[in-house]
């Protein structure tokens, strides 16, 4: 109270200063309240899982399963986080995953083996992203509408390709990746893919001009334009990125299920958006973190797993998820108004 | 002064934000019927103080007495109920609502408690606008379509739509023309003679002389002087109290060498936009500062934005170094070395959620990056250097830009282009909301940049600023250049005459 009129000192510790201490302490000093509270929620869930089903939940196989399931949606969420940070939305992710997974598993594609499947999944994902991006960036369509249209048509096309049938994968090298033999030090390959995508996503968002531009476009598109950023091209790239993530996720799903189905990726858009928002990404754009989104995904998949182990129906599960979204947004409001 | 208690008496108000003590024991007394001015440098705490008064911020300590009784202002509504209305520095209108809806926002006239009576709202709004001298504003129009000056009037109508006893105006004149300011002062006069008190914030000392009764000076969150007579305290003393030093409010020397000799760096040939401005020719040489004088709405900002490529011209083109730029492309302009500090910093320039550093570096990212990879240490260092040059406060570029005071946000925008190191600088109202001391620094910086070979095109509503800083002045009226002359051959009256001549009183 008796502090005299000295020039204002540094702001809160939250703001990363140039010389932040490296290592764990530096990391803790930088982690904001939200990240810590998400970690707290995840820890609490693990405790709950451990108490209710001590043998099954903490079993290595179960943990591997949880992480693998989270990985597919996680990769989609990384792309979604970029899109939302830039002030957009991508409702078509689930449908793109479906289309890419069935296109990659047609008999014709499978003839080209592993490379053919991977290539097709990625190309279909990027192609859908390109259509979204062009419509939104250059056709001045509202992201909600453009991606809603993509959702409908990609699902329709997926149904047409499969005719509602499950396409079994017969390429051994693809199937092998899903087997336990492929685990490295107990870590499934799909989880490693997710880890790599996360790290790249984090670096791109926080350390590159691409990330900065995405945030700028979402924070204030007009200001970004007047600052000399090509806002439209940036928007196009962002939907391409989201499509790319969907393609990768589709390939992962093919490995995981050993098949391609037009019902793949159902409601992924909701899970990905919810995970990003729980992680603190502003739906209006301009702010968000990859770390938060990934924690959001892990929280969601852990809950699903605990509920399944305890034989609770998916309706209870949905209600719990809804409650978590509301709680997360309320926390977000609190932390926003106190800064 | 009357023996009865003052209308408002705030004492010992403190308010801290994380890391900053914005108010440190401030006292403020306001009498009914007076115009009480608040003065202070950027970041001194003026806006914070009036937000406490408006119930928008809760003070950490201190008491507020309203007509002698202690009150707690828990929310803006509580303050409004007492009769305290506030016009904020950053306009807070809802662009997608009509004028009438904005004026009555939160207290719509209703039937049966919930059906909004639109017609009643519109007619009472029309009455208010009439009283404010602007009957031409249509209550049914969207606020987003109005000019800045008219939005200001709508804000004022909103304040007056309540039964007010105290009205707070935070830099209301910053966006206004000279004759708009006259109108504002007439309204202030009407209000005070009806016994309403006015708290008035402005960085323009001459305005305070004209309408102020008493002055309270804030410095670093403390009131260094309270209730001084506004008309008789010497300017020198006021400025010394605000800044803690003697600032000479002078413009930098013009260079002795004749800049008209060189080849033009920026050339505009026949540039026009339908309905905004007529074909325009101008050229700016390296080392030259050219000023555009004119009323708000005379097309000045539109001209700058068109030169910058943010608007597509309907005719003509822009040349830099003799080479034509692709019309309507900001990126082409930026690549050719143009920089624009736009008029509306919040809407057009700032990334409110981001740090000062990122706001400053956003136009020069390629300088700190290799292959898209950002060198953050270099970025921070450069941002720090650029913001120090303008003495932006607080002296820590890692803080979010939204926590800066209005004037300091403006400096962040300028720092962006300082850092970018452009060759042609387009400045639209560069000193809006900037305090006296910092203005002098800013003028010096602009002149120094010009001396280093930049071409500068300056728009300002403050005629003395254009005349003092520019070498050559173009006077605009209704989108047309009506006069061009070296700045030293013009004076303020002449410019105002040229600017107003024949224009309808708006
Ligand atoms: N929400 C906030 N969070 C953190 N700091 C803040 C916040 N709002 C204001 N400040 C700080 O409080 C101080 C006072 O700011 P204030 O806006 O009251 O200044 P001002 O006198 O109105 O300046 P100006 O003339 O530039 O408008 C500044 O240092 C500012 O950075
Ligand atoms: Mg202010």
């Amino acid at each position: 109270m008796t502090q005299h009129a000295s020039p204002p000192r540094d702001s809160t510790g939250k703001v990363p200063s140039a010389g932040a201490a490296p290592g764990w302490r530096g990391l803790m000093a930088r982690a904001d309240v939200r990240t810590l509270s998400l970690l707290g929620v995840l820890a609490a869930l693990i405790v709950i899982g451990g108490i209710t089903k001590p043998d099954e939940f903490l079993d290595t196989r179960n943990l591997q399963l949880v992480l693998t399931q989270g990985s597919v949606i996680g990769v989609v969420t990384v792309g979604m986080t970029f899109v939302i940070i830039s002030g957009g939305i991508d409702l078509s992710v689930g449908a793109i995953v479906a289309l890419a997974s069935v296109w990659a598993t047609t008999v014709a594609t499978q003839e080209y083996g592993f490379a053919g499947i991977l290539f097709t999944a990625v190309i279909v994902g990027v192609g859908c992203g390109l259509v979204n991006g062009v419509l939104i960036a250059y056709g001045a369509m509202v992201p909600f509408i453009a991606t809603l249209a993509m959702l409908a048509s990609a699902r329709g096309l997926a149904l047409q390709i499969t005719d509602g049938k499950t396409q079994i994968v017969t390429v051994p090298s693809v199937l092998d990746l899903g087997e336990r033999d492929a685990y490295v030090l107990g870590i499934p390959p799909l989880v490693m893919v997710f880890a790599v995508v996360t790290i790249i996503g984090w670096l791109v968002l926080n350390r590159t001009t691409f990330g900065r531009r995405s945030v700028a476009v979402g924070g204030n598109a007009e200001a970004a334009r007047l600052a000399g950023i090509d806002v439209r091209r940036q928007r196009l790239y962002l939907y391409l990125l989201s499509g790319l993530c969907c393609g990768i996720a589709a390939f992962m799903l093919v490995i995981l299920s050993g098949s391609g189905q037009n019902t793949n990726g159902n409601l992924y858009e909701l899970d990905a958006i919810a995970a990003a928002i729980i992680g603190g990404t502003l739906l209006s754009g301009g702010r968000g973190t990859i770390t938060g989104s990934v924690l959001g995904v892990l929280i969601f998949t852990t809950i699903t797993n605990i509920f399944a182990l305890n034989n609770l129906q998916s309706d209870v599960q949905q209600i719990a998820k809804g409650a978590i979204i509301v709680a997360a947004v309320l926390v977000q409001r609190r932390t926003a108004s106190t800064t | 002064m009357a023996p009865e208690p003052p209308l408002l008496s705030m004492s010992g108000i403190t308010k801290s934000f994380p890391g900053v003590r914005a108010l440190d024991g401030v006292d403020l007394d306001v009498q009914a019927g007076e115009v009480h001015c608040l003065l202070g440098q950027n970041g001194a705490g003026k806006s914070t103080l009036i937000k406490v008064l408006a119930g928008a911020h809760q003070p950490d300590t201190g008491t507020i007495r309203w007509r002698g009784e202690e009150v707690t202002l828990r929310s803006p509504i509580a303050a409004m109920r007492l009769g305290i209305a506030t016009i904020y520095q950053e306009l807070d209108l809802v662009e997608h609502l009509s004028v009438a809806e904005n004026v009555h926002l939160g207290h719509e006239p209703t039937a049966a408690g919930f059906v909004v009576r639109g017609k009643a709202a519109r007619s009472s709004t029309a009455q208010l606008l009439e009283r404010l001298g602007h009957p031409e504003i249509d209550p049914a129009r969207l606020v987003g379509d109005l000019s800045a000056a008219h939005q200001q009037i709508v804000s004022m109508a909103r304040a007056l739509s309540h039964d007010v006893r105290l009205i707070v105006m935070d830099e209301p004149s910053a966006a206004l023309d000279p004759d708009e300011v006259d109108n504002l002062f007439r309204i202030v006069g009407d209000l005070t003679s009806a016994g309403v008190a006015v708290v008035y914030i402005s960085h323009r000392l001459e305005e305070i002389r004209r309408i102020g009764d008493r002055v309270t000076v804030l410095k670093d969150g403390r009131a260094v002087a309270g209730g001084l007579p506004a008309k008789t305290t010497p300017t020198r003393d006021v400025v010394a109290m605000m800044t803690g030093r003697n600032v000479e409010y002078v413009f930098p020397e013009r260079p002795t060498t004749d800049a008209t000799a060189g080849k033009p760096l920026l050339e505009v040939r026949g540039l026009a936009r339908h309905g905004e401005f007529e074909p325009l020719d101008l050229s700016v040489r390296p080392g030259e500062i050219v000023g555009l004088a004119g009323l708000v709405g005379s097309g000045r900002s539109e001209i700058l934005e068109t030169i910058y490529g943010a608007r597509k011209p309907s005719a003509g083109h822009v040349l830099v170094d003799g080479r034509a730029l692709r019309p309507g492309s900001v990126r082409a302009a930026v690549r050719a070395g143009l920089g624009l500090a736009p008029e509306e910093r919040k809407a057009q320039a700032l990334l409110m959620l981001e740090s000062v550093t990122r706001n400053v570096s956003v136009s020069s990212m390629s300088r700190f990056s290799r292959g898209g990879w950002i060198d953050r240490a270099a970025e921070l260092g450069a941002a720090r250097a650029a913001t120090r040059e303008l003495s932006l406060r607080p002296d820590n570029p890692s803080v979010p830009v939204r926590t800066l005071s209005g004037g300091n946000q403006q400096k962040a925008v300028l720092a962006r282009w300082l850092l970018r190191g452009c060759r042609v600088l387009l400045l639209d109202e560069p000193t809006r909301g900037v305090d006296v001391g910092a203005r002098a620094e800013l003028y010096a910086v602009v002149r120094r940049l010009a001396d280093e070979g930049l071409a500068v095109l300056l728009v300002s509503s403050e005629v003395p600023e254009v005349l003092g800083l520019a070498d050559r002045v173009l006077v605009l009226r209704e989108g047309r250049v009506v006069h061009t002359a070296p700045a030293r051959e013009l004076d303020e009256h002449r410019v105002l005459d040229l600017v107003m001549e024949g224009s309808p009183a708006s």
Side-chain angles (χ1 to χ4, degrees):
Chain A
M1 196 128 318
T2 50
Q3 184 197 3
H4 287 283
S6 57
R9 289 163 308 142
D10 274 11
S11 169
T12 56
K14 260 206 265 178
V15 179
S17 59
W24 182 243
R25 287 204 26 222
L27 206 64
M28 289 309 284
R30 281 195 210 183
D32 58 329
V33 190
R34 185 178 299 121
T35 312
L36 291 177
S37 56
L38 288 172
L39 279 171
V41 170
L42 190 59
L45 283 173
I46 291 172
V47 170
I48 293 173
I51 290 173
T52 53
K53 291 279 164 185
D55 302 332
E56 293 143 60
F57 180 74
L58 292 176
D59 179 58
T60 320
R61 279 170 184 265
N62 185 55
L63 293 180
Q64 284 166 340
L65 178 74
V66 172
L67 283 176
T68 313
Q69 284 169 342
S71 294
V72 180
I73 189 80
V75 169
V76 172
T77 304
V78 169
M80 181 70 88
T81 305
F82 273 91
V83 170
I84 297 181
I85 285 176
S86 76
I89 193 90
D90 190 346
L91 298 178
S92 62
V93 288
I96 296 178
V97 167
L99 180 61
S101 73
V102 301
W103 206 319
T105 51
T106 56
V107 180
T109 320
Q110 290 203 33
E111 279 181 15
Y112 295 92
F114 185 98
I117 294 177
L118 174 60
F119 183 75
T120 309
V122 168
I123 286 297
V124 171
V126 172
C128 293
L130 180 70
V131 174
N132 279 338
V134 168
L135 288 178
I136 291 161
Y138 297 96
M141 261 174 97
V142 182
F144 191 98
I145 309 283
T147 58
L148 190 65
M150 175 58 74
L151 183 163
S153 27
R155 277 238 179 263
L157 190 55
L159 177 63
Q160 204 168 48
I161 290 176
T162 59
D163 201 14
K165 296 190 190 79
T166 303
Q167 301 174 341
I168 305 293
V169 176
T170 53
V171 179
S173 54
V174 171
L175 295 172
D176 285 349
L177 277 180
E179 297 299 325
R180 303 196 62 80
D181 294 345
Y183 290 13
V184 180
L185 301 172
I187 303 172
L190 295 190
V191 177
M192 288 189 267
V193 172
F194 177 37
V196 170
V197 169
T198 301
I199 291 167
I200 293 176
W202 191 91
L203 288 173
V204 168
L205 182 61
N206 294 293
R207 293 286 185 270
T208 67
T209 53
F210 181 90
R212 289 291 176 78
R213 294 199 182 110
S214 309
V215 180
V217 168
N220 187 340
E222 175 66 1
R225 187 175 78 99
L226 291 181
I229 293 174
D230 191 334
V231 174
R232 286 191 291 189
R233 196 165 68 193
Q234 187 66 24
R235 289 218 169 102
L236 171 65
Y237 288 165
L238 282 156
Y239 288 91
L240 279 179
L241 176 71
S242 178
L244 172 66
C245 288
C246 292
I248 296 172
F251 184 66
M252 294 164 77
L253 205 54
V254 168
I255 293 174
L256 192 63
S257 62
S259 67
Q261 251 178 300
N262 65 306
T263 51
N264 273 346
N266 195 24
L267 294 187
Y268 271 22
E269 55 279 5
L270 291 189
D271 282 355
I273 293 169
I277 286 175
I278 287 178
T281 302
L282 277 189
L283 202 46
S284 52
R287 178 152 64 197
T289 63
I290 297 293
T291 325
S293 295
V294 167
L295 286 173
V297 169
L298 292 180
I299 288 173
F300 259 24
T301 30
T302 310
I303 293 179
T304 313
N305 182 251
I306 292 173
F307 278 57
L309 289 179
N310 286 287
N311 292 322
L312 287 170
Q313 299 303 315
S314 70
D315 46 358
V316 186
Q317 199 173 308
Q318 295 297 339
I319 293 169
K321 281 186 183 175
I324 289 183
I325 296 175
V326 171
V329 172
L330 288 180
V331 170
Q332 192 165 310
R333 281 256 203 81
R334 283 286 292 280
T335 47
S337 61
T338 51
T339 47
Chain B
M1 210 111 292
E4 62 184 271
L7 178 67
L8 169 79
S9 155
M10 301 173 85
S11 55
I13 305 288
T14 61
K15 173 77 191 173
S16 295
F17 295 109
V20 186
R21 176 161 299 224
L23 296 176
D24 194 8
V26 175
D27 300 338
L28 176 70
D29 278 346
V30 181
Q31 305 285 347
E34 77 163 334
V35 178
H36 197 118
C37 302
L38 274 183
L39 279 177
Q41 285 185 284
N42 295 132
K46 304 179 295 294
S47 298
T48 309
L49 182 65
I50 62 114
K51 281 183 188 155
V52 167
L53 176 55
H57 281 329
Q58 298 305 309
D60 301 334
T61 61
T63 51
I64 302 174
R65 285 172 186 283
W66 181 251
R67 303 160 96 184
E69 274 172 48
E70 193 168 331
V71 290
T72 314
L73 303 170
R74 286 227 165 67
S75 67
I77 301 171
M80 270 177 224
R81 288 225 180 89
L82 292 180
I84 301 172
T86 309
I87 300 170
Y88 292 102
Q89 183 172 12
E90 308 292 349
L91 289 182
D92 55 344
L93 300 170
V94 186
E95 299 208 337
H96 298 291
L97 291 182
S98 74
V99 171
E101 285 162 338
N102 264 287
V103 167
H104 290 282
L105 200 62
H107 61 112
E108 296 83 359
T110 51
F114 63 93
V115 182
V116 176
R117 291 166 54 215
K119 214 163 171 192
R122 280 195 295 279
S123 72
S124 75
T125 303
Q127 269 170 23
L128 283 169
L129 292 171
E130 172 109 47
R131 183 170 149 206
L132 292 173
H134 281 271
E136 80 281 6
I137 302 177
D138 178 359
R141 266 186 78 181
L142 289 188
V143 160
D145 298 340
L146 299 179
S147 68
H150 280 173
Q151 291 188 358
Q152 184 82 51
I153 299 292
V154 175
S155 252
M156 197 116 52
R158 169 143 105 197
L160 294 178
S161 69
H162 303 268
D163 188 14
V164 286
R165 315 191 64 98
L166 173 72
I167 180 161
V168 182
M169 306 184 181
D170 195 351
E171 299 195 30
S173 58
L176 299 182
D177 275 335
D179 61 334
E180 293 279 355
V181 173
D182 290 343
N183 183 44
L184 173 73
F185 288 178
R186 185 186 57 72
I187 297 164
V188 169
D190 288 354
L191 287 167
T192 48
S193 54
V196 175
V198 176
V199 172
Y200 189 89
I201 301 178
S202 174
H203 288 294
R204 301 185 189 165
L205 297 179
E206 68 281 3
E207 294 180 359
I208 283 154
R209 293 251 179 276
R210 269 176 69 192
I211 56 157
D213 294 310
R214 293 193 301 154
V215 174
T216 292
V217 182
L218 292 186
K219 176 167 169 23
D220 297 331
R222 296 166 158 247
V224 290
L228 298 175
K231 301 219 163 42
T232 53
T233 313
T235 303
R236 202 160 16 91
D237 295 0
V238 175
V239 173
M241 275 184 267
M242 277 168 62
T243 59
R245 64 199 160 102
N246 287 318
V247 174
E248 303 224 9
Y249 188 50
V250 290
F251 294 98
E253 290 274 325
R254 295 193 174 88
T256 42
T257 53
D258 193 9
T260 52
K263 248 179 51 194
L265 181 54
L266 173 75
E267 270 186 282
V268 172
R269 290 205 198 128
L271 198 70
R273 252 176 81 85
H274 276 306
E276 283 176 359
F277 57 93
E278 292 173 23
L280 169 84
D281 291 303
L282 69 82
S283 62
V284 191
R285 291 171 183 78
E288 200 182 21
I289 304 176
V290 172
L292 290 179
L295 296 177
V296 174
S298 61
R300 303 164 311 174
S301 298
E302 288 80 358
I303 290 175
L304 286 199
E305 287 174 18
T306 311
I307 294 177
Y308 189 62
R311 294 168 186 246
K312 218 178 174 100
S314 48
H317 41 259
V318 177
L319 295 89
V320 174
D321 251 350
R323 239 169 300 152
L325 300 183
R326 190 150 71 84
S329 163
V330 172
R331 288 181 53 75
V334 170
R335 229 176 285 131
L338 264 65
L340 168 73
E343 185 178 16
E344 305 283 337
R345 57 175 174 255
K346 209 172 171 182
Q348 297 181 296
L350 292 171
L351 308 166
M352 285 310 240
L353 295 172
E354 300 229 53
S355 66
V356 173
T357 305
R358 290 182 173 203
N359 269 283
V360 170
S361 70
V362 66
S363 290
S364 1
M365 275 190 288
S366 54
R367 277 181 50 191
F368 318 105
S369 61
R370 186 164 289 182
W373 201 259
I374 295 174
D375 177 353
R376 292 186 310 149
E379 180 190 25
L380 185 67
R384 181 162 280 149
T387 52
R388 284 228 172 109
E389 193 151 0
L390 297 169
S391 47
L392 186 146
R393 286 189 39 189
D395 184 19
N396 172 10
S398 298
V399 299
V401 82
R402 103 193 102 86
T403 67
L404 298 186
S405 74
N408 282 305
Q409 292 180 352
Q410 180 69 38
K411 291 186 196 172
V413 176
L414 293 170
R416 174 184 299 172
W417 297 110
L418 267 186
L419 183 57
R420 161 98 198 167
C422 47
R423 303 165 65 207
V424 179
L425 194 54
L426 310 172
L427 299 173
D428 199 353
E429 305 283 0
T431 59
R432 174 175 296 175
V434 173
D435 70 51
V436 184
R439 257 171 213 232
E441 288 160 22
L442 219 128
Y443 295 148
V445 170
V446 172
R447 177 49 78 186
R448 204 198 64 223
L449 290 172
D451 289 345
E452 287 169 9
L454 260 75
V456 180
L457 190 57
L458 166 80
V459 161
S460 173
S461 301
E462 288 180 53
V463 177
E465 182 168 295
V466 177
L467 293 181
L469 194 56
D471 301 309
R472 210 148 44 86
V473 177
L474 272 61
V475 182
L476 287 170
R477 191 173 64 225
E478 290 164 18
R480 236 180 40 223
V481 177
V482 292
H483 194 76
T484 311
R488 56 192 103 198
E489 290 171 16
L490 291 167
D491 65 31
E492 192 170 350
H493 285 291
R494 176 96 178 92
V495 174
L496 284 177
D497 282 349
L498 286 165
V499 152
M500 311 264 199
E501 208 169 86
S503 74
S506 60

